[in-house]
Amino acid sequence: MTDSTTKYYQLSQKIKLWGRELGFQHVGISDIDLSEQTPGFLSWLEKGYHGEMQFMAEHGAKRYRPDELLPGTISIVSVRMDYLPPQAEFAKTLADEKRAYISRYALGRDYHKVMRNKLKKLGQKIGQELDLADMSFRPFVDSAPVLERPIAEKAGIGWIGKHSLVLSETAGSWFFLGELFLPLPLPADRPVEDKCGKCVACMTICPTQAIVEPYVVDSRKCISYLTIEQKGSIPEQFRPLMGNRIYGCDDCQLICPWNRFAEVTTEADFSPREKLHPVKLLELWQWSEQEFLDNTQGNPIRRIGYTSWMRNIAVALGNAPMSLEIVEQLREKLNIINVLVDEHIEWALKQQEAKAEQLSIDSRKLKRLIKA
């Protein structure tokens, strides 16, 4: 080894140690050559699988050319931070159709802020070590045109599974990813082997069959996309399949056998908020817009806004067991929020009426409420 090679190898080992001290469970290093990802990414865009997420098509080549996003970048530090909350109650929540299912990553504090602050500290620590106060670095946490999953794969964090999420042999997939772009020639780690094998459990379990082929997700069918990214009307064919999932979906992770090895997070900020878990759909339905803003302060749910939040809950209430209380609560919100929410309320009311008829219930009162 040359003196320079030895210097950067030793620095890479320190970076991994500092990262773990900051609370990251795995720290890896990647080079910036993402050329192998270009054809697949462009094909995914051409097929329209990104839906309304126009930001995925913006910024040109910057997404797979990191040194164009931050000139001078030579290496990327990729980090993993576990988020599986204690008492996640996956099966219990999904089975109780009157309870709200919120993707487990969104029950606590916004991970963007938590991780970005830690990555910034890591960058500053590296600059201090090298006595480079003005060293150019930049942290990213799902907030810029960065191909975080391929970078994590190259850095040895895990392999990209058939559901398109990164999988770790020792931690499953219940973790966030973050990146630190650096102008330093650090030695890159080796990728790990893809260990999905012949398993297609994630493809089979997906409620909307959004995993259209191994490693390819059509976002337009994905419940996470429909409840978070889509701003307009949710296509009717997907509404019954959403069940009580009002923000995101974890089904492909729940079924994955590698998640048997996932451990509960040690990060207190990712613990579930009382207002969000466990909680009944009707409790959330009664929130005013101000209550929504107050109760999701510093939480990732806040960014979808009150309209999408109520739209999603309306669909879940339509999917819930027939209930006069649900019908009454739905009716009370008609013509209150906006036309988009009204459309989904009307759909939910029709679902409730259909269930009453199937149960051969004397539904005169129900129909009066629905058609009033």
Side-chain angles (χ1 to χ4, degrees), residues 9-23:
Y9 172 78
Q10 293 175 343
L11 178 61
S12 71
Q13 297 308 300
K14 291 180 179 180
I15 289 172
K16 292 174 183 180
L17 174 62
W18 297 331
R20 289 192 294 272
E21 289 174 346
L22 284 166

Side-chain angles (χ1 to χ4, degrees), residues 288-360:
S288 66
E289 184 168 10
Q290 188 58 52
E291 286 175 310
F292 168 78
L293 293 173
D294 291 343
N295 293 332
T296 59
Q297 177 72 35
N299 175 277
I301 293 174
R302 202 173 202 249
R303 78 178 184 88
I304 72 169
Y306 186 62
T307 291
S308 293
W309 176 247
M310 296 299 283
R311 174 202 63 185
N312 297 345
I313 300 172
V315 172
L317 289 171
N319 292 330
M322 195 285 297
S323 162
L324 285 176
E325 183 182 10
I326 287 177
V327 172
E328 290 172 350
Q329 292 291 331
L330 286 167
R331 284 285 313 161
E332 286 183 6
K333 285 289 196 295
L334 268 176
N335 303 315
I336 296 296
I337 302 173
N338 59 32
V339 174
L340 177 64
V341 176
D342 285 348
E343 175 199 335
H344 292 77
I345 291 176
E346 295 284 6
W347 178 87
L349 289 169
K350 289 179 182 178
Q351 306 312 301
Q352 287 288 316
E353 181 178 13
K355 289 170 187 174
E357 291 175 352
Q358 289 173 1
L359 293 171
S360 300

Side-chain angles (χ1 to χ4, degrees), residues 84-141:
L84 182 63
Q87 300 178 326
E89 298 184 345
F90 297 108
K92 184 177 180 180
T93 304
L94 284 170
D96 186 347
E97 297 172 295
K98 292 184 179 181
R99 280 176 64 174
Y101 187 88
I102 295 170
S103 189
R104 306 296 86 167
Y105 83 84
L107 292 176
R109 189 180 175 211
D110 191 337
Y111 66 97
H112 298 87
K113 298 176 181 178
V114 174
M115 293 186 69
R116 192 180 296 113
N117 288 338
K118 292 178 182 293
L119 283 167
K120 183 178 179 181
K121 290 179 181 179
L122 181 58
Q124 292 170 339
K125 179 72 173 177
I126 296 168
Q128 291 170 2
E129 176 72 12
L130 298 174
D131 197 22
L132 296 173
D134 59 346
M135 184 185 75
S136 176
F137 70 87
R138 186 173 171 185
F140 296 98
V141 183

